Amino acid sequence: GSSSSSRASFSFIRRLRNVTVVEEPRLREQEFGFGKPLRQLREESQLRQLCGHFYYRFPGGESGADVYDRVTAFVEKLYRHFQHEKCARNLVVVSHGLTIRLLLMRMLRWTVDEFHQMDHLRNAEMVILERTDEGTFKPIHA
């Protein structure tokens, strides 16, 4: 599943030289609830399409807003990290599509409507943010 592809990417990066790797559990994928039959997950996914990915909470799981709260805690830690002199110049975040989109929402200060307008990310798609002199971020194309 998607968790195994993120773990494979993480394992690959971990083997690189001169790279510090930190696992961040707050950047895990949205929790959908456990032990549900595939049919039930499909029905719930259809409801999520109607309600929107941000607000719909899977029974026994999370809403996008819940994931946003986790991402916000990570971003606050990240901004504290940026205050240190020895802060890494480049950071790589490996996570899942929704989590990455919510990370972009938080860092780029998007509204919920702007979040909903963003296309889903393809598997292994990269998003690059560049830090400006003002300390904000802007997306750049690779």
Side-chain angles (χ1 to χ4, degrees):
S2 61
S3 179
S4 61
S5 62
S6 289
R7 288 195 180 281
S9 298
F10 181 75
S11 294
F12 174 78
I13 292 169
R14 179 176 267 173
R15 289 192 301 266
L16 298 174
R17 292 177 191 223
N18 300 320
V19 174
T20 301
V21 178
V22 178
E23 186 171 5
E24 177 53 68
R26 288 176 284 200
L27 296 184
R28 68 187 181 278
E29 181 58 292
Q30 179 180 20
E31 295 175 3
F32 299 101
F34 297 101
K36 295 179 182 180
L38 187 56
R39 181 183 54 77
Q40 182 180 351
L41 281 173
R42 285 188 182 131
E43 290 170 1
E44 291 172 0
S45 291
Q46 289 174 348
L47 282 172
R48 181 173 69 163
Q49 291 297 331
L50 294 172
C51 297
H53 286 242
F54 191 79
Y55 291 114
Y56 179 78
R57 177 175 283 114
F58 285 89
E62 295 179 298
S63 68
D66 296 326
V67 179
Y68 181 84
D69 288 343
R70 286 195 274 113
V71 165
T72 293
F74 169 74
V75 169
E76 289 168 357
K77 176 183 172 186
L78 194 59
Y79 279 119
R80 285 191 304 273
H81 175 74
F82 291 151
Q83 302 303 315
H84 294 286
E85 268 184 43
K86 294 183 180 185
C87 171
R89 181 159 168 79
N90 297 298
L91 301 171
V92 176
V93 175
V94 177
S95 192
H96 305 273
L98 178 72
T99 306
I100 293 291
R101 288 172 41 224
L102 290 165
L103 181 65
L104 291 170
M105 177 184 177
R106 175 62 176 81
M107 294 185 80
L108 300 175
R109 299 184 173 114
W110 290 344
T111 65
V112 173
D113 287 338
E114 289 170 318
F115 163 77
H116 280 131
Q117 291 172 13
M118 183 182 182
D119 292 333
H120 295 277
L121 298 173
R122 294 180 308 275
N123 193 29
E125 184 172 352
M126 287 185 11
V127 177
I128 300 172
L129 295 180
E130 183 175 75
R131 198 159 77 170
T132 66
D133 292 336
E134 295 81 34
T136 60
F137 291 88
K138 66 177 184 175
I140 60 171
H141 299 285

